[in-house]
């Protein structure tokens, strides 16, 4: 049995995972004329490579692809997964919020229009309309378009460890009876280099102290969270205009502790032009 199949065999049979890929950014630091997700590597765009990696995980069937309203490229491309189109927001969190709204709306009305924006719904009574308990097996996996080197086996491991943690909690505790808000999980890697905390002095950057790297991990995507709680927390954050850089920090704000699942250092986010060279070599491997 392959590594992927061995891991998948441990998953609950009734698990539903909707996939969100965030591709609405412009990638200013990448120094390119076009958004970095449309840079070509080996005949395909970075975005296509990212979705191709997700398509190798059999628990993921449909991708909610978040693009900017001005995007004229995405819909001209072929993808290895069925695509539901979502219009992004001003910031990453707004884009994820739009996608999660779209997913939630599909469960309420499967025949509704499948293109969404910031004001597509006015569902402010989410917590009153459905119990979290009814959606325990519904999860959302969020991935950045600019991480084309993610390993499918790491995604499988994330799904297995995160959902199994929930199953163990549900058997050991009675919290679920009242709609326990689950913590979810994310891929991450331990920091390998010495880390300095800096101080600015007279236009210079000085090392103030060395941090204990054994306590530091680098967050990656995908990140996996239960649909009901994710929607609830995103709704509150949007209403309160509180910004978060990733979904894990959103859950941390609400007192949760997401599970860190060790991934691979090769799962880099393309941020600077030199990152492209690594991705080209990695993706060229058989």
């Amino acid at each position: 049995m392959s590594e992927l199949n061995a891991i998948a065999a441990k998953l609950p049979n009734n698990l539903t995972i909707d996939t969100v890929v965030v591709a609405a950014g412009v990638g200013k630091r990448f120094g390119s004329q076009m958004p970095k997700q449309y840079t070509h590597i080996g005949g395909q765009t970075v975005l296509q490579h990212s979705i191709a990696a997700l398509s190798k995980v059999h628990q993921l069937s449909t991708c909610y692809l978040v693009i900017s309203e001005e995007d004229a490229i995405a819909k001209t491309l072929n993808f290895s997964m069925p695509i539901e189109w979502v219009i992004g927001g001003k910031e990453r969190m707004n884009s994820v919020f739009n996608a999660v709204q779209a997913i939630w709306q599909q469960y309420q009305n499967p025949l509704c229009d499948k293109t969404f924006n910031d004001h597509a719904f006015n569902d402010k009574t989410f917590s009153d309309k459905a119990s979290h308990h009814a959606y325990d097996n519904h999860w959302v996996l969020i991935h950045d378009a600019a991480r084309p080197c993610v390993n499918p086996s790491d995604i499988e491991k994330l799904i297995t460890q995160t959902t199994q943690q929930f199953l163990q909690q549900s058997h050991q505790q009675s919290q679920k009876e009242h709609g326990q808000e689950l913590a979810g999980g994310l891929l991450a890697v331990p920091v390998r280099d010495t880390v300095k905390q800096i101080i600015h002095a007279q236009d210079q950057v000085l090392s103030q102290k060395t941090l204990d790297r054994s306590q530091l991990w680098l967050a990656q995507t995908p990140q996996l969270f239960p649909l009901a709680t994710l929607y609830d927390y995103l709704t509150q954050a949007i209403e309160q205009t509180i910004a978060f850089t990733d979904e894990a920090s959103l859950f941390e704000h609400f007192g949760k502790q997401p599970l860190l699942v060790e991934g691979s250092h090769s799962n880099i986010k393309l941020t600077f032009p030199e990152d492209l060279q690594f991705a080209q070599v990695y993706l060229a491997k058989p």
Side-chain angles (χ1 to χ4, degrees):
M1 181 179 290
S2 69
E3 181 182 4
L4 284 178
N5 291 336
I7 296 174
K10 302 177 183 179
L11 295 174
N13 294 328
N14 58 346
L15 188 68
T16 298
I17 304 176
D18 290 292
T19 307
V20 172
V21 172
V22 186
V26 296
K28 295 179 181 178
R29 290 175 292 178
F30 198 66
S32 175
Q33 292 279 336
M34 68 174 62
K36 58 189 174 184
Q37 60 266 29
Y38 299 125
T39 301
H40 278 76
I41 300 176
Q44 289 202 317
T45 64
V46 167
L47 176 59
Q48 287 173 301
H49 282 293
S50 297
I51 292 179
L54 295 170
S55 72
K56 296 175 182 177
V57 181
H58 81 273
Q59 293 87 4
L60 310 177
S61 58
T62 300
C63 173
Y64 287 77
L65 181 53
V66 188
I67 60 174
S68 70
E69 196 167 11
E70 296 78 23
D71 192 316
I73 300 176
K75 292 186 179 182
T76 69
L77 302 174
N78 294 318
F79 296 102
S80 51
M81 294 177 70
I83 299 297
E84 301 284 358
W85 300 100
V86 180
I87 300 301
K90 293 181 179 179
E91 303 293 341
R92 183 185 186 281
M93 187 179 74
N94 302 92
S95 293
V96 173
F97 177 56
N98 290 352
V100 174
Q101 272 193 321
I103 292 168
W104 175 254
Q105 186 69 10
Q106 290 294 341
Y107 286 118
Q108 305 307 299
N109 180 12
L111 300 179
C112 70
D113 185 0
K114 295 178 179 179
T115 300
F116 303 87
N117 56 42
D118 275 314
H119 305 290
F121 308 106
N122 185 25
D123 188 359
K124 301 301 184 183
T125 59
F126 166 72
S127 296
D128 296 330
K129 290 172 64 177
S131 79
H132 288 202
H133 179 75
Y135 288 84
D136 281 346
N137 291 317
H138 292 248
W139 296 71
V140 180
L141 183 113
I142 305 107
H143 189 52
D144 292 326
R147 288 188 186 269
C149 301
V150 63
N151 190 327
S153 65
D154 288 340
I155 302 175
E156 293 274 9
K157 183 167 63 172
L158 170 67
I159 293 171
T160 298
Q161 292 189 13
T162 302
T163 55
Q164 283 189 341
Q165 181 193 54
F166 159 62
L167 290 175
Q168 291 170 359
Q169 290 176 348
S170 67
H171 285 97
Q172 294 172 359
Q173 304 175 17
S174 61
Q175 295 175 342
K176 273 187 60 184
E177 295 174 3
H178 304 287
Q180 179 190 11
E181 296 179 350
L182 311 176
L186 65 152
L187 288 182
V189 289
V191 170
R192 296 189 294 192
D193 298 325
T194 298
V195 180
K196 301 293 185 181
Q197 181 174 307
I198 67 167
I199 185 172
H200 293 275
Q202 298 180 347
D203 297 327
Q204 294 181 318
V205 180
L206 306 177
S207 176
Q208 187 177 43
K209 67 177 180 179
T210 300
L211 303 181
D212 181 4
R213 66 183 177 188
S214 69
Q215 302 299 310
L216 300 173
W217 286 52
L218 300 176
Q220 299 178 341
T221 67
Q223 301 190 2
L224 179 67
F225 297 95
L227 169 61
T229 310
L230 177 62
Y231 189 16
D232 195 359
Y233 287 173
L234 282 168
T235 300
Q236 293 184 56
I238 295 296
E239 289 176 344
Q240 299 169 23
T241 62
I242 305 172
F244 298 97
T245 56
D246 70 351
E247 292 64 54
S249 60
L250 171 70
F251 272 66
E252 291 159 7
H253 173 79
F254 286 99
K256 304 304 176 184
Q257 297 178 321
L259 177 69
L260 293 181
V261 177
E262 185 166 358
S264 305
H265 284 276
S266 58
N267 184 21
I268 65 169
K269 184 176 182 180
L270 302 188
T271 304
F272 301 102
E274 55 267 29
D275 297 333
L276 185 61
Q277 298 176 6
F278 172 85
Q280 289 170 333
V281 173
Y282 181 88
L283 294 171
K285 296 189 304 181

